[in-house]
Amino acid sequence: MEQRTLGRTGRTVSVIGLGTWQLGADWGDVSEAEATAVLDASHSAGVTFFDTADVYGDGRSETIIGAWRAALPDADRAGVTVATKMGRRQDQTLENYSAANFRAWNDRSRANLRMDTLDLVQLHCPPTDVYQSDTIFDALDALVDDGSIDAYGVSVETVEQALIAIARPHVASVQIILNAFRLKPLDEVLPVAMDAGVGIIARVPLASGLLSGRYRHDTAFAADDHRTYNRTGGAFDVGETFSGVDFDDGVEAAREFSVLAEAAGLAPATAALAWLAQLPGVSSVIPGARNVAQAEGNAAAGSVPALGDAFTASVRELYDRRFRAAIHARW
Ligand SMILES: NC(=O)c1ccc[n+]([C@@H]2O[C@H](COP(=O)([O-])OP(=O)(O)OC[C@H]3O[C@@H](n4cnc5c(N)ncnc54)[C@H](OP(=O)(O)O)[C@@H]3O)[C@@H](O)[C@H]2O)c1
């Protein structure tokens, strides 16, 4: 598994990480035993970067990671980086992004994760105004200065937000949706982040599973799965569900992507992740996994030989033809 430096954190992380929203809630049922098995399998396969948030299952994902991490041998624990997020346990108003709330939210995450100092805390998709407030970033600097966090970053919805955040001197990393069905950050964010030395965490890398090529037009998801209840953005930004593409269009495009992957001798999910991991400027790709087989398959994408420029050209052609008009201007 290739390791890379995660931007201004200076930490070394695996190029394939693990997203752990599934280990909290919103993806149907994942038992605690399965969640722990996913963490174990990922780590055994070389994954050293784990992304969570205080709201995933209202702390369930953090708590499971905290217990799992605490049980690791010291040497293994030292090599693991856990990134959490804060800011969505209350309304996304400017006044809620206060120094007092930051401390309270971080104290809860530190307890859940059983860590005195959090490795990386990301603002969890705040409104654009937040990125423009010096007071808010001063409060984040104070958390680093007093040792409650090692570094902070942001998770963003749009390219515009990513660019504003990268210009802030102490933002260590930017987490953004980047996948074969969401290409705008490839041209507009990656080069700027690289110049600034800011890490890029590529989230929703499988377009919520679409890029695995497993779904059909009549595939149904559980009632408590966001792919059922957020399909039109009823609960949070619609871009977080299937990358904001229409499900039926996504199923058709995934069929085409599967042909590209098979021509490269890879399963579609593996090709989707390996391609992202090979893009210059990406620090870590964080697929979510609901079971051990997915976790192991995803980690293996970190050691796939270079897919090359022809593969990228085919992905661009697919995106331009199927999705650019519908989504490019939106995020
Ligand atoms: N606002 C934010 O900051 C934000 C928002 C979204 C996500 N995230 C982070 O990003 C992570 C990744 O995004 P995501 O989980 O939303 O979407 P994703 O990684 O694009 O898709 C995950 C889904 O893909 C399917 N899958 C995974 N591995 C597979 C494999 N090897 N073969 C076939 N199918 C596979 C599974 O679908 P099935 O469930 O159908 O099996 C899984 O639930 C999250 O876990 C979270 O940590 C952050």
Side-chain angles (χ1 to χ4, degrees):
M1 171 79 72
E2 187 184 338
Q3 308 284 317
R4 294 201 183 144
T5 301
L6 179 56
R8 293 173 182 153
T9 69
R11 305 178 81 91
T12 300
V13 296
S14 53
V15 72
I16 302 291
L18 178 71
T20 66
W21 186 8
Q22 284 76 356
L23 312 192
D26 306 313
W27 293 79
D29 188 40
V30 178
S31 71
E32 195 167 327
E34 188 76 57
T36 303
V38 164
L39 293 166
D40 274 336
S42 299
H43 187 248
S44 298
V47 169
T48 61
F49 183 57
F50 297 83
D51 178 74
T52 184
D54 57 3
V55 286
Y56 293 166
D58 197 23
R60 182 181 191 251
S61 172
E62 283 187 336
T63 304
I64 290 171
I65 292 170
W68 170 80
R69 178 183 171 279
L72 288 175
D74 290 350
D76 285 348
R77 197 181 315 120
V80 162
T81 295
V82 179
T84 193
K85 311 189 197 77
M86 65 175 176
R88 296 191 82 85
R89 299 188 68 244
Q90 286 178 239
D91 292 340
Q92 275 78 65
T93 59
L94 211 51
E95 53 277 15
N96 275 339
Y97 293 84
S98 64
N101 277 344
F102 287 167
R103 281 192 192 285
W105 296 336
N106 272 342
D107 285 349
R108 183 175 178 272
S109 290
R110 290 194 299 148
N112 286 344
L113 286 164
R114 307 189 196 187
M115 298 170 78
D116 293 334
T117 301
L118 297 171
D119 295 335
L120 175 67
V121 175
Q122 304 156 97
L123 292 181
H124 199 164
C125 294
T128 304
D129 288 359
V130 165
Y131 300 100
Q132 283 151 343
S133 163
D134 291 344
T135 313
I136 289 171
F137 283 85
D138 288 348
L140 292 169
D141 286 336
L143 294 171
V144 176
D145 291 344
D146 76 11
S148 39
I149 68 178
D150 244 2
Y152 63 84
V154 296
S155 185
V156 303
E157 299 288 9
T158 67
V159 162
E160 180 202 6
Q161 291 168 347
L163 297 178
I164 303 171
I166 289 168
R168 292 252 164 212
H170 302 143
V171 166
S173 60
V174 169
Q175 180 176 140
I176 191 162
I177 299 179
L178 173 62
N179 62 49
F181 295 171
R182 181 75 79 88
L183 287 195
K184 193 171 178 181
L186 174 59
D187 297 322
E188 298 193 21
V189 176
L190 292 187
V192 183
M194 266 203 297
D195 279 353
V198 170
I200 291 291
I201 301 165
R203 80 165 179 270
V204 196
L206 297 172
S208 311
L210 266 176
L211 279 158
S212 71
R214 288 156 53 225
Y215 307 149
R216 301 289 167 260
H217 293 292
D218 60 355
T219 299
F221 299 89
D224 61 349
D225 188 314
H226 71 100
R227 293 169 293 184
T228 298
Y229 68 76
N230 195 51
R231 234 179 237 208
T232 54
F236 43 80
D237 194 301
V238 69
E240 304 293 352
T241 301
F242 300 127
S243 280
V245 306
D246 172 78
F247 181 70
D248 288 318
D249 291 347
V251 168
E252 292 298 322
R255 277 196 191 133
E256 289 193 49
F257 183 83
S258 298
V259 173
L260 298 179
E262 277 150 26
L266 297 170
T270 310
L273 299 174
W275 175 70
L276 282 176
Q278 292 169 14
L279 293 175
V282 168
S283 314
S284 191
V285 181
I286 52 163
R290 289 162 50 85
N291 55 48
V292 165
Q294 289 182 353
E296 289 176 345
N298 295 345
S303 47
V304 167
L307 284 161
D309 293 343
F311 192 88
T312 299
S314 301
V315 170
R316 283 183 182 279
E317 189 280 326
L318 176 61
Y319 174 81
D320 287 348
R321 179 164 40 83
R322 289 218 171 248
F323 296 125
R324 180 178 280 272
I327 71 161
H328 203 77
R330 200 159 169 193
W331 291 283

